[in-house]
Amino acid sequence: MDWGMKSRMARIINPDTGKAVMLAFDHGYFLRPTHRLEEPRKTIEPLLPYADTIMLTRGVLRSSVDPESRANVVLRVSGGTSIVGADLSNEGLTTSFKDAIRLNVAGVGISVFVGSEYERQTLLNLAELVNQGEEYGIPVLGITAVGKELEKRDARYLSLCCRICAELGTHIVKTYFCEDFEKVTTSCPVPIVIAGGPKLETEMDVFEMTHSAIEQGAIGVDMGRNIWQNDHPVAMLRAIRSIVHENNSPKQAHDFFLTVREEESRKVASA
């Protein structure tokens, strides 16, 4: 691995812990102006100090993130479909590698839809992105998307998806947590981060999922709604970070969440 590739990987995966806290803000590229992401800048700014990396599109990066923030960015470079269209899996590449380089990204991310009508198309898109990533020293995050078919999220299917991404040369894989998740991580020879998926019912649900994923071989998270749709997103992100980087238990993380939430409430009251 060349120096540039290693340097960018170190911007995504913390070299001191070997773990990663990624924060996803790319939902609007296909979903809608998601609740509490209607004004991206207002959502993103308070969270930047506590995320190792943020994932978003070039449009939101340029419009809503200050260059002076020194944010590490994994740039979403696939798209072309929407939630109201016929098939979410019919994605193509939306951003040139030249533009990704111009934006000084730490990495680029692309979805693949294994088992869909457009499986071959999305996998070849990934392979081409890896070719360019190797040429320019930029890591590629392969994202195992399921479109509207959330029932596909089982260990057998996700193991297949993650292994294909690794075989095609992706440097990191983003996938869903599932029962028997260790089968997914042990059969994938590159690092895995977990998606948060739709917002869970309680904070403890998120902490337990994160902790279980790390215990079963994930190197971190790439979460969105379960953090910034919370009423206390900074406290939520800092608690997730304590699990990933400090090996806190779900209970320790929840106690820390409550402490930070109380500190925030006192600051608001005093202001």
Side-chain angles (χ1 to χ4, degrees):
M1 189 182 290
D2 189 59
W3 190 95
M5 182 73 78
K6 289 180 180 178
S7 176
R8 289 186 176 92
M9 285 290 285
R11 290 162 60 187
I12 301 171
I13 301 173
N14 187 318
D16 295 331
T17 63
K19 300 292 195 299
V21 176
M22 303 174 66
L23 196 51
F25 297 105
D26 59 335
H27 302 66
Y29 93 94
F30 78 97
L31 195 52
R32 60 183 172 273
T34 314
H35 177 55
R36 293 191 173 168
L37 197 56
E38 296 92 345
E39 298 179 72
R41 181 180 290 272
K42 289 184 178 180
T43 301
I44 294 169
E45 280 188 348
L47 298 171
L48 279 178
Y50 308 105
D52 297 322
T53 317
I54 58 174
M55 184 168 181
L56 69 181
T57 61
R58 61 180 170 181
V60 170
L61 177 60
R62 285 190 166 109
S63 66
S64 306
V65 180
D66 289 330
E68 295 82 3
S69 69
R70 302 181 182 178
N72 292 318
V73 174
V74 173
L75 193 69
R76 158 69 69 174
V77 298
S78 68
T81 59
S82 79
I83 195 68
V84 298
D87 195 331
L88 281 173
S89 67
N90 190 14
E91 283 197 353
L93 294 174
T94 59
T95 307
S96 70
F97 235 84
K98 184 180 290 186
D99 208 18
I101 293 168
R102 189 181 293 116
L103 289 166
N104 191 32
V105 301
V108 293
I110 179 175
S111 292
V112 296
F113 293 81
V114 174
S116 74
E117 180 181 352
Y118 298 98
E119 173 187 84
R120 181 176 185 274
Q121 171 182 306
T122 60
L123 290 176
L124 290 179
N125 287 341
L126 171 62
E128 176 56 28
L129 204 62
V130 170
N131 289 340
Q132 295 182 54
E134 292 293 341
E135 182 173 356
Y136 296 110
I138 297 180
V140 175
L141 172 72
I143 304 161
T144 64
V146 296
K148 302 173 186 177
E149 301 172 79
L150 297 180
E151 71 277 0
K152 283 185 176 179
R153 295 184 295 181
D154 61 44
R156 183 178 181 184
Y157 173 75
L158 296 176
S159 294
L160 170 66
C161 298
C162 292
R163 184 55 177 262
I164 290 173
C165 286
E167 296 274 355
L168 290 177
T170 191
H171 305 90
I172 309 172
V173 176
K174 174 180 177 177
T175 195
Y176 292 98
F177 182 71
C178 63
E179 189 176 346
D180 297 323
F181 185 65
E182 194 168 2
K183 293 180 180 178
V184 180
T185 58
T186 55
S187 61
C188 181
V190 300
I192 287 179
V193 294
I194 64 160
K199 190 174 184 298
L200 300 178
E201 187 172 342
T202 69
E203 288 89 6
M204 186 59 83
D205 289 337
V206 182
F207 300 148
E208 288 176 346
M209 178 177 71
T210 302
H211 187 265
S212 295
I214 298 295
E215 277 198 324
Q216 295 181 56
I219 60 105
V221 302
D222 186 11
M223 288 185 175
R225 287 168 287 183
N226 278 297
I227 293 173
W228 42 257
Q229 284 186 342
N230 190 279
D231 289 338
H232 301 275
V234 170
M236 195 67 187
L237 179 55
R238 291 181 64 183
I240 292 291
R241 189 175 183 84
S242 77
I243 297 173
V244 175
H245 286 307
E246 300 169 28
N247 299 315
N248 274 1
S249 68
K251 184 182 185 307
Q252 288 172 318
H254 192 260
D255 290 343
F256 183 51
F257 167 79
L258 295 176
T259 299
V260 176
R261 187 182 72 177
E262 181 61 29
E263 290 173 358
E264 290 177 348
S265 298
R266 284 200 298 267
K267 286 180 182 178
V268 171
S270 63

